[in-house]
Amino acid sequence: MVLHVYYTCKPGMAVAFILSLKESGLQEKIRAEDGCLQYDYCLSYEQKDTVVLLERWQDEAAQAAHMAQPHMEDVRRLKAAYTIDTRLERFA
């Protein structure tokens, strides 16, 4: 299963958002979860203040388990601090 998550960041905060996620160790915790095949944050070249998260999971059960992890609350806190909108695309 593949997800593309588009985060619209507060003006000028896209790089700070990515750095906060990396420096907190959250990205590596998530990459270590069972069934995680890819978890990469990218800056959009065309859409200013947009971060794109590319996720690949073994299956929907692995992604559901990911969302229930305690460290996802830390991700939500960072999202609240740095972003103003989130859009999700799901691919089979």
XYZ file of all heavy atoms in Angstrom:
746
model
N 0.836 -1.169 0.000
C 0.000 0.000 0.000
C 0.890 1.245 0.000
O 1.890 1.302 0.711
C -0.890 0.017 1.237
C -1.750 1.249 1.291
S -2.947 1.288 2.613
C -1.918 1.686 3.974
N 0.516 2.230 -0.794
C 1.288 3.460 -0.933
C 0.414 4.650 -0.553
O -0.755 4.725 -0.944
C 1.801 3.626 -2.380
C 2.491 4.950 -2.576
C 2.719 2.474 -2.754
N 0.996 5.566 0.209
C 0.329 6.816 0.569
C 1.226 7.975 0.179
O 2.444 7.911 0.361
C 0.068 6.885 2.078
C -0.806 5.816 2.698
C -0.805 5.963 4.218
C -2.219 5.909 2.172
N 0.615 9.022 -0.338
C 1.279 10.304 -0.525
C 0.528 11.277 0.373
O -0.672 11.468 0.217
C 1.199 10.790 -1.966
C 1.983 9.967 -2.925
N 1.998 10.225 -4.264
C 2.791 8.886 -2.747
C 2.769 9.350 -4.876
N 3.260 8.516 -3.969
N 1.242 11.886 1.319
C 0.633 12.833 2.240
C 1.219 14.208 1.940
O 2.441 14.378 1.966
C 0.899 12.452 3.709
C 0.148 13.382 4.644
C 0.515 10.993 3.966
N 0.342 15.153 1.632
C 0.760 16.508 1.302
C 0.460 17.408 2.489
O -0.692 17.571 2.883
C 0.006 17.015 0.069
C 0.285 16.202 -1.161
C -0.439 15.042 -1.436
C 1.283 16.575 -2.051
C -0.179 14.281 -2.562
C 1.549 15.819 -3.181
C 0.806 14.675 -3.424
O 1.073 13.920 -4.538
N 1.514 17.984 3.067
C 1.375 18.904 4.186
C 1.581 20.327 3.669
O 2.640 20.636 3.121
C 2.434 18.639 5.258
C 2.354 17.280 5.893
C 3.261 16.289 5.551
C 1.383 17.002 6.848
C 3.196 15.040 6.143
C 1.319 15.749 7.444
C 2.224 14.774 7.085
O 2.168 13.542 7.670
N 0.589 21.174 3.840
C 0.763 22.594 3.572
C 1.238 23.211 4.874
O 0.519 23.188 5.883
C -0.556 23.243 3.113
O -1.034 22.563 1.960
C -0.340 24.722 2.791
N 2.455 23.721 4.840
C 3.063 24.264 6.054
C 2.748 25.745 6.207
O 2.416 26.433 5.238
C 4.575 24.063 6.015
S 5.043 22.314 6.068
N 2.869 26.214 7.424
C 2.778 27.646 7.674
C 3.886 28.306 6.856
O 4.929 27.690 6.603
C 2.936 27.931 9.164
C 1.803 27.335 9.982
C 2.046 27.483 11.478
C 0.927 26.794 12.253
N 1.158 26.837 13.708
N 3.673 29.549 6.404
C 4.664 30.184 5.525
C 6.085 30.106 6.080
O 6.349 30.435 7.240
C 4.174 31.643 5.459
C 2.687 31.535 5.658
C 2.522 30.418 6.671
N 6.985 29.591 5.223
C 8.395 29.505 5.558
C 8.766 28.403 6.534
O 9.912 28.345 6.984
N 7.847 27.489 6.857
C 8.092 26.487 7.892
C 8.329 25.067 7.368
O 8.522 24.149 8.157
C 6.918 26.463 8.871
C 6.691 27.789 9.584
S 8.100 28.318 10.554
C 7.963 27.275 11.963
N 8.359 24.862 6.067
C 8.481 23.505 5.512
C 9.789 22.833 5.927
O 9.801 21.690 6.381
C 8.335 23.523 3.996
N 10.897 23.532 5.773
C 12.194 22.946 6.127
C 12.254 22.679 7.627
O 12.714 21.615 8.062
C 13.354 23.850 5.663
C 14.683 23.354 6.210
C 13.401 23.904 4.142
N 11.772 23.611 8.433
C 11.774 23.433 9.890
C 10.930 22.218 10.288
O 11.297 21.481 11.215
C 11.254 24.692 10.583
N 9.824 21.988 9.596
C 8.969 20.826 9.871
C 9.747 19.536 9.634
O 9.803 18.654 10.498
C 7.716 20.896 8.998
C 6.767 19.740 9.152
C 6.349 19.307 10.399
C 6.259 19.103 8.034
C 5.460 18.243 10.534
C 5.367 18.057 8.149
C 4.972 17.618 9.399
N 10.386 19.429 8.478
C 11.149 18.219 8.163
C 12.298 18.034 9.155
O 12.523 16.928 9.655
C 11.674 18.254 6.717
C 10.520 18.129 5.726
C 12.683 17.139 6.475
C 10.925 18.282 4.272
N 13.024 19.096 9.440
C 14.145 18.989 10.377
C 13.672 18.563 11.762
O 14.335 17.753 12.421
C 14.909 20.306 10.440
C 15.730 20.658 9.202
C 16.346 22.042 9.350
C 16.784 19.606 8.920
N 12.554 19.072 12.211
C 12.022 18.681 13.518
C 11.684 17.196 13.557
O 11.955 16.519 14.549
C 10.773 19.503 13.853
O 11.114 20.848 14.055
N 11.093 16.688 12.480
C 10.761 15.266 12.413
C 12.025 14.413 12.424
O 12.097 13.403 13.122
C 9.931 14.979 11.164
C 8.506 15.523 11.200
C 7.952 15.685 9.809
C 7.627 14.615 12.042
N 13.029 14.820 11.677
C 14.270 14.047 11.617
C 15.041 14.124 12.935
O 15.490 13.111 13.456
C 15.135 14.543 10.458
C 14.585 14.168 9.092
C 15.500 14.665 7.983
C 15.035 14.195 6.640
N 15.221 12.767 6.418
N 15.202 15.335 13.475
C 15.990 15.517 14.690
C 15.348 14.868 15.913
O 16.041 14.466 16.839
C 16.232 17.007 14.934
C 17.170 17.610 13.906
C 17.255 19.121 13.962
O 16.543 19.754 14.781
O 18.031 19.680 13.167
N 14.037 14.732 15.905
C 13.333 14.103 17.021
C 13.490 12.579 17.017
O 13.160 11.920 18.001
C 11.840 14.443 16.957
O 11.250 13.820 15.824
N 13.967 12.029 15.898
C 14.095 10.578 15.773
C 12.814 9.884 15.348
O 12.794 8.659 15.212
N 11.757 10.642 15.112
C 10.473 10.026 14.762
C 10.520 9.292 13.430
O 9.967 8.201 13.298
C 9.369 11.088 14.743
C 8.982 11.615 16.111
C 8.143 12.881 15.995
C 8.220 10.541 16.876
N 11.188 9.871 12.452
C 11.249 9.215 11.148
C 11.915 7.842 11.263
O 11.427 6.859 10.699
C 11.982 10.097 10.147
C 11.959 9.534 8.736
C 12.610 10.461 7.738
O 13.431 11.306 8.088
N 12.252 10.310 6.489
N 12.989 7.756 12.015
C 13.673 6.460 12.168
C 12.830 5.472 12.968
O 12.838 4.274 12.678
C 15.051 6.660 12.791
C 16.032 7.348 11.863
C 16.127 6.695 10.490
O 16.228 5.448 10.411
O 16.101 7.436 9.488
N 12.106 5.941 13.981
C 11.201 5.049 14.726
C 10.156 4.457 13.794
O 9.857 3.261 13.861
C 10.491 5.810 15.855
C 11.335 6.085 17.051
C 10.514 6.794 18.117
C 11.370 7.161 19.316
N 10.596 7.890 20.337
N 9.608 5.303 12.938
C 8.571 4.833 12.021
C 9.161 3.878 10.996
O 8.571 2.825 10.704
C 7.867 6.029 11.356
C 7.098 6.816 12.424
C 6.945 5.566 10.229
C 6.614 8.174 11.988
N 10.323 4.192 10.463
C 10.968 3.296 9.494
C 11.261 1.925 10.094
O 11.325 0.938 9.370
C 12.257 3.923 8.981
C 12.036 5.040 8.000
C 13.345 5.655 7.584
N 13.162 6.614 6.503
C 14.099 7.453 6.115
N 15.298 7.443 6.695
N 13.867 8.308 5.139
N 11.431 1.851 11.405
C 11.726 0.585 12.075
C 10.469 -0.230 12.381
O 10.577 -1.383 12.814
C 12.496 0.849 13.373
N 9.300 0.323 12.153
C 8.063 -0.403 12.434
C 7.904 -1.584 11.478
O 8.315 -1.516 10.314
C 6.851 0.524 12.275
C 6.765 1.602 13.313
C 5.604 2.547 13.075
O 4.619 2.152 12.419
O 5.688 3.703 13.540
N 7.281 -2.651 11.987
C 6.993 -3.813 11.146
C 6.130 -3.392 9.958
O 5.126 -2.693 10.133
C 6.249 -4.890 11.944
C 7.140 -5.584 12.950
O 8.384 -5.547 12.783
O 6.598 -6.158 13.911
N 6.527 -3.805 8.785
C 5.736 -3.549 7.582
C 6.011 -2.230 6.900
O 5.431 -1.954 5.848
N 6.893 -1.395 7.460
C 7.234 -0.125 6.814
C 8.274 -0.379 5.732
O 9.367 -0.866 6.011
C 7.756 0.891 7.822
S 8.153 2.491 7.071
N 7.941 -0.050 4.499
C 8.844 -0.245 3.373
C 9.483 1.064 2.917
O 10.553 1.056 2.321
C 8.098 -0.890 2.202
C 7.378 -2.205 2.523
C 6.567 -2.666 1.322
C 8.375 -3.264 2.963
N 8.821 2.191 3.182
C 9.361 3.508 2.826
C 8.649 4.556 3.664
O 7.434 4.484 3.881
C 9.128 3.816 1.345
C 9.645 5.179 0.917
C 9.331 5.505 -0.529
O 8.443 4.912 -1.139
N 10.058 6.447 -1.090
N 9.405 5.556 4.110
C 8.845 6.669 4.865
C 9.773 7.857 4.668
O 10.733 8.050 5.420
C 8.721 6.300 6.353
C 7.713 7.129 7.101
C 6.372 6.769 7.104
C 8.096 8.264 7.793
C 5.439 7.518 7.798
C 7.172 9.020 8.484
C 5.847 8.641 8.482
O 4.918 9.395 9.172
N 9.540 8.623 3.601
C 10.436 9.704 3.198
C 9.694 11.030 3.088
O 8.677 11.117 2.392
C 11.072 9.402 1.833
C 11.988 8.207 1.875
O 12.750 8.087 2.850
O 11.941 7.390 0.934
N 10.241 12.047 3.750
C 9.731 13.406 3.630
C 10.495 14.116 2.526
O 11.721 14.035 2.451
C 9.910 14.170 4.942
C 8.999 13.699 6.045
C 9.442 12.775 6.985
C 7.700 14.169 6.138
C 8.613 12.340 7.996
C 6.854 13.742 7.153
C 7.322 12.822 8.079
O 6.491 12.392 9.084
N 9.766 14.849 1.682
C 10.373 15.562 0.561
C 9.783 16.973 0.480
O 8.605 17.170 0.756
C 10.070 14.849 -0.760
S 10.487 13.099 -0.784
N 10.606 17.928 0.062
C 10.116 19.276 -0.204
C 9.594 19.342 -1.632
O 10.238 18.834 -2.551
C 11.237 20.297 -0.041
C 11.716 20.572 1.369
C 12.939 21.473 1.339
C 10.609 21.206 2.191
N 8.448 19.956 -1.814
C 7.921 20.150 -3.156
C 8.664 21.292 -3.837
O 8.810 22.373 -3.267
C 6.423 20.468 -3.101
O 5.950 20.791 -4.398
N 9.115 21.050 -5.035
C 9.796 22.088 -5.811
C 8.783 23.086 -6.376
O 9.059 24.273 -6.479
C 10.589 21.434 -6.947
C 11.300 22.412 -7.828
C 12.472 23.020 -7.395
C 10.807 22.735 -9.084
C 13.135 23.935 -8.203
C 11.463 23.641 -9.890
C 12.617 24.239 -9.446
O 13.272 25.137 -10.241
N 7.595 22.595 -6.715
C 6.598 23.412 -7.404
C 5.603 24.087 -6.474
O 5.035 25.114 -6.823
C 5.855 22.568 -8.436
C 6.769 22.083 -9.543
C 6.061 21.214 -10.554
O 4.888 20.863 -10.340
O 6.699 20.894 -11.562
N 5.355 23.513 -5.312
C 4.360 24.065 -4.393
C 5.066 24.581 -3.143
O 5.472 23.803 -2.277
C 3.325 23.004 -4.026
C 2.514 22.537 -5.216
C 1.577 21.405 -4.854
O 1.920 20.551 -4.053
N 0.406 21.415 -5.441
N 5.191 25.891 -3.065
C 5.883 26.512 -1.938
C 5.219 26.105 -0.623
O 3.996 25.980 -0.543
C 5.833 28.037 -2.098
C 6.588 28.768 -1.034
C 6.558 30.258 -1.264
C 7.246 30.911 -0.084
N 7.768 32.197 -0.353
N 6.029 25.895 0.389
C 5.564 25.540 1.736
C 4.848 24.192 1.782
O 4.023 23.956 2.663
C 4.671 26.643 2.325
C 5.417 27.955 2.506
O 6.609 27.908 2.908
O 4.837 29.016 2.250
N 5.171 23.304 0.849
C 4.546 21.979 0.826
C 5.605 20.905 1.047
O 6.657 20.901 0.409
C 3.816 21.728 -0.509
O 2.780 22.694 -0.643
C 3.218 20.331 -0.558
N 5.293 20.016 1.975
C 6.102 18.833 2.247
C 5.293 17.633 1.796
O 4.089 17.542 2.074
C 6.441 18.727 3.752
C 7.094 17.393 4.076
C 7.332 19.887 4.177
N 5.943 16.705 1.096
C 5.276 15.485 0.648
C 5.905 14.309 1.387
O 7.126 14.159 1.408
C 5.409 15.291 -0.877
C 4.681 14.023 -1.323
C 4.898 16.517 -1.627
N 5.064 13.513 2.000
C 5.504 12.293 2.673
C 5.153 11.117 1.777
O 3.991 10.934 1.392
C 4.810 12.144 4.025
C 4.985 10.817 4.756
C 6.449 10.514 5.036
C 4.165 10.823 6.043
N 6.164 10.328 1.419
C 5.970 9.118 0.609
C 6.048 7.923 1.548
O 7.077 7.673 2.166
C 7.052 9.020 -0.462
C 7.210 10.251 -1.362
C 8.410 10.073 -2.281
C 5.949 10.515 -2.143
N 4.931 7.224 1.658
C 4.849 6.053 2.548
C 4.537 4.817 1.722
O 3.672 4.847 0.856
C 3.707 6.205 3.558
C 3.858 7.298 4.551
C 2.727 7.276 5.569
O 2.492 6.221 6.210
O 2.066 8.311 5.719
N 5.224 3.723 2.035
C 4.889 2.404 1.473
C 4.837 1.427 2.626
O 5.773 1.348 3.433
C 5.925 1.939 0.444
C 5.755 2.563 -0.902
C 6.616 1.938 -1.984
N 7.990 1.713 -1.583
C 8.617 0.529 -1.638
N 8.000 -0.539 -2.082
N 9.871 0.428 -1.254
N 3.744 0.680 2.697
C 3.529 -0.293 3.771
C 3.277 -1.663 3.169
O 2.704 -1.778 2.080
C 2.338 0.139 4.632
C 2.623 1.422 5.343
C 2.332 2.687 4.921
C 3.316 1.566 6.580
N 2.799 3.599 5.829
C 3.402 2.944 6.854
C 3.872 0.665 7.483
C 4.021 3.438 7.998
C 4.480 1.168 8.626
C 4.549 2.529 8.873
N 3.671 -2.669 3.897
C 3.480 -4.055 3.456
C 2.014 -4.319 3.150
O 1.682 -4.967 2.168
C 3.986 -5.002 4.530
C 3.887 -6.449 4.189
C 4.493 -7.302 5.297
O 5.205 -6.808 6.162
N 4.199 -8.579 5.265
N 1.136 -3.813 4.009
C -0.293 -3.995 3.812
C -1.048 -2.989 4.688
O -0.444 -2.228 5.446
C -0.726 -5.436 4.128
C -0.260 -5.916 5.494
O -0.158 -5.093 6.442
O 0.013 -7.119 5.633
N -2.370 -2.991 4.571
C -3.178 -2.047 5.340
C -3.086 -2.297 6.844
O -3.156 -1.361 7.637
C -4.630 -2.096 4.878
C -4.801 -1.463 3.505
C -6.240 -1.216 3.131
O -7.061 -0.960 4.030
O -6.525 -1.266 1.927
N -2.906 -3.526 7.254
C -2.782 -3.839 8.679
C -1.533 -3.181 9.270
O -1.567 -2.654 10.386
C -2.757 -5.351 8.895
N -0.432 -3.206 8.525
C 0.801 -2.572 9.000
C 0.625 -1.063 9.121
O 1.076 -0.445 10.091
C 1.963 -2.891 8.060
N -0.073 -0.470 8.167
C -0.295 0.973 8.223
C -1.236 1.326 9.374
O -1.029 2.323 10.070
C -0.854 1.486 6.880
C -0.686 2.969 6.666
C -1.796 3.806 7.255
O -2.934 3.370 7.367
N -1.460 5.028 7.607
N -2.238 0.508 9.615
C -3.158 0.740 10.741
C -2.419 0.630 12.073
O -2.639 1.434 12.988
C -4.325 -0.241 10.678
N -1.532 -0.346 12.186
C -0.732 -0.498 13.410
C 0.177 0.712 13.595
O 0.368 1.193 14.720
C 0.089 -1.786 13.344
N 0.718 1.224 12.505
C 1.549 2.429 12.547
C 0.783 3.603 13.150
O 1.288 4.312 14.020
C 2.020 2.758 11.125
C 2.368 4.173 10.894
N 3.461 4.785 11.471
C 1.761 5.134 10.138
C 3.513 6.048 11.075
N 2.490 6.281 10.275
N -0.437 3.795 12.719
C -1.229 4.929 13.197
C -1.552 4.814 14.683
O -1.820 5.826 15.331
C -2.511 5.061 12.377
C -2.271 5.443 10.927
S -1.324 6.975 10.723
C -2.455 8.186 11.394
N -1.495 3.607 15.239
C -1.811 3.391 16.653
C -0.578 3.481 17.557
O -0.706 3.370 18.779
C -2.484 2.033 16.826
N 0.609 3.703 16.981
C 1.837 3.766 17.776
C 1.829 5.011 18.676
O 1.381 6.079 18.250
C 3.062 3.812 16.869
C 3.279 2.561 16.063
C 3.548 1.363 16.949
O 4.326 1.432 17.893
N 2.889 0.266 16.642
N 2.348 4.900 19.889
C 2.382 6.053 20.799
C 3.154 7.250 20.238
O 2.777 8.393 20.486
C 3.065 5.517 22.057
C 3.030 4.044 21.955
C 2.877 3.689 20.511
N 4.211 6.996 19.455
C 4.990 8.124 18.926
C 4.245 8.925 17.860
O 4.670 10.020 17.507
C 6.370 7.673 18.412
C 6.333 6.554 17.439
N 6.662 5.272 17.790
C 6.011 6.514 16.131
C 6.555 4.484 16.736
N 6.152 5.209 15.729
N 3.123 8.417 17.388
C 2.336 9.186 16.423
C 1.733 10.432 17.070
O 1.450 11.409 16.382
C 1.269 8.312 15.772
C 1.858 7.284 14.804
S 2.964 8.014 13.564
C 1.791 8.977 12.615
N 1.573 10.424 18.383
C 1.111 11.626 19.072
C 2.154 12.736 18.942
O 1.808 13.916 18.772
C 0.807 11.332 20.542
C 0.213 12.513 21.276
C -1.064 13.062 20.655
O -1.893 12.273 20.162
O -1.230 14.303 20.650
N 3.425 12.374 18.979
C 4.493 13.359 18.774
C 4.449 13.919 17.353
O 4.665 15.119 17.142
C 5.864 12.735 19.050
C 6.023 12.313 20.498
O 5.450 12.982 21.379
O 6.707 11.300 20.741
N 4.172 13.068 16.384
C 4.028 13.531 15.001
C 2.865 14.512 14.910
O 2.975 15.574 14.284
C 3.834 12.343 14.026
C 3.508 12.842 12.625
C 5.066 11.448 14.000
N 1.749 14.191 15.546
C 0.585 15.084 15.515
C 0.907 16.446 16.141
O 0.465 17.478 15.646
C -0.612 14.433 16.196
C -1.247 13.327 15.350
C -2.524 12.796 15.953
N -2.316 11.744 16.925
C -2.052 10.475 16.638
N -1.943 10.088 15.383
N -1.889 9.588 17.587
N 1.676 16.451 17.214
C 2.064 17.719 17.840
C 2.920 18.566 16.890
O 2.737 19.777 16.789
C 2.818 17.467 19.145
C 1.897 17.215 20.321
C 2.650 17.310 21.641
N 3.496 16.147 21.905
C 3.067 15.014 22.431
N 1.800 14.877 22.766
N 3.897 14.013 22.645
N 3.854 17.928 16.205
C 4.674 18.664 15.249
C 3.836 19.177 14.079
O 4.020 20.308 13.622
C 5.831 17.800 14.744
C 6.930 17.527 15.766
C 7.946 16.538 15.211
C 7.616 18.821 16.177
N 2.912 18.360 13.608
C 2.018 18.813 12.541
C 1.235 20.047 12.981
O 1.094 21.008 12.220
C 1.038 17.707 12.149
C 1.610 16.651 11.242
C 0.627 15.546 10.934
C -0.717 16.028 10.508
N -1.672 14.964 10.185
N 0.741 20.041 14.204
C -0.032 21.179 14.710
C 0.828 22.438 14.774
O 0.339 23.549 14.529
C -0.612 20.852 16.080
N 2.099 22.275 15.071
C 2.991 23.423 15.202
C 3.410 23.998 13.850
O 3.621 25.207 13.731
C 4.232 23.031 16.004
N 3.528 23.149 12.826
C 4.127 23.582 11.570
C 3.196 23.615 10.362
O 3.521 24.241 9.358
C 5.316 22.674 11.216
C 6.491 22.842 12.130
C 6.739 21.942 13.161
C 7.370 23.910 11.967
C 7.822 22.099 14.009
C 8.460 24.074 12.804
C 8.682 23.163 13.820
O 9.759 23.327 14.648
N 2.066 22.932 10.418
C 1.240 22.812 9.215
C -0.132 23.455 9.391
O -0.606 23.647 10.508
C 1.062 21.337 8.798
O 0.226 20.657 9.732
C 2.401 20.624 8.686
N -0.752 23.742 8.235
C -2.105 24.297 8.258
C -3.115 23.409 7.536
O -4.313 23.594 7.681
C -2.139 25.728 7.680
C -1.547 25.775 6.283
C -1.427 26.689 8.608
C -1.632 27.138 5.602
N -2.621 22.438 6.762
C -3.535 21.552 6.044
C -2.802 20.263 5.671
O -1.585 20.264 5.493
C -4.034 22.236 4.766
C -5.152 21.462 4.084
O -6.044 20.944 4.794
O -5.128 21.357 2.848
N -3.565 19.194 5.561
C -3.029 17.885 5.165
C -3.979 17.269 4.147
O -5.198 17.295 4.339
C -2.904 16.940 6.374
O -2.100 17.554 7.362
C -2.290 15.609 5.980
N -3.402 16.737 3.086
C -4.187 16.033 2.060
C -3.529 14.683 1.811
O -2.303 14.579 1.741
C -4.213 16.855 0.768
C -5.048 16.235 -0.344
C -5.181 17.178 -1.535
N -3.921 17.623 -2.082
C -3.235 16.986 -3.037
N -3.667 15.840 -3.535
N -2.091 17.492 -3.483
N -4.339 13.642 1.690
C -3.855 12.278 1.562
C -4.312 11.658 0.248
O -5.474 11.793 -0.129
C -4.395 11.444 2.729
C -4.124 9.959 2.723
C -2.667 9.691 3.059
C -5.029 9.268 3.726
N -3.388 10.978 -0.427
C -3.707 10.148 -1.597
C -3.307 8.729 -1.267
O -2.204 8.485 -0.800
C -2.947 10.620 -2.843
C -3.362 11.970 -3.353
C -2.564 12.411 -4.568
O -1.532 11.778 -4.893
O -2.972 13.401 -5.182
N -4.215 7.781 -1.506
C -3.982 6.371 -1.202
C -3.978 5.577 -2.504
O -4.842 5.744 -3.345
C -5.083 5.857 -0.285
C -4.930 4.413 0.142
C -6.108 3.987 1.001
N -6.203 4.782 2.209
C -5.787 4.392 3.398
N -5.243 3.200 3.541
N -5.912 5.163 4.451
N -2.968 4.713 -2.642
C -2.840 3.865 -3.816
C -2.771 2.416 -3.365
O -2.145 2.105 -2.356
C -1.566 4.208 -4.607
C -1.492 5.665 -4.993
C -0.858 6.578 -4.158
C -2.066 6.119 -6.154
C -0.782 7.912 -4.498
C -2.000 7.457 -6.500
C -1.349 8.364 -5.669
N -3.390 1.540 -4.101
C -3.427 0.123 -3.746
C -2.082 -0.535 -3.914
O -1.192 -0.115 -4.518
C -4.449 -0.601 -4.596
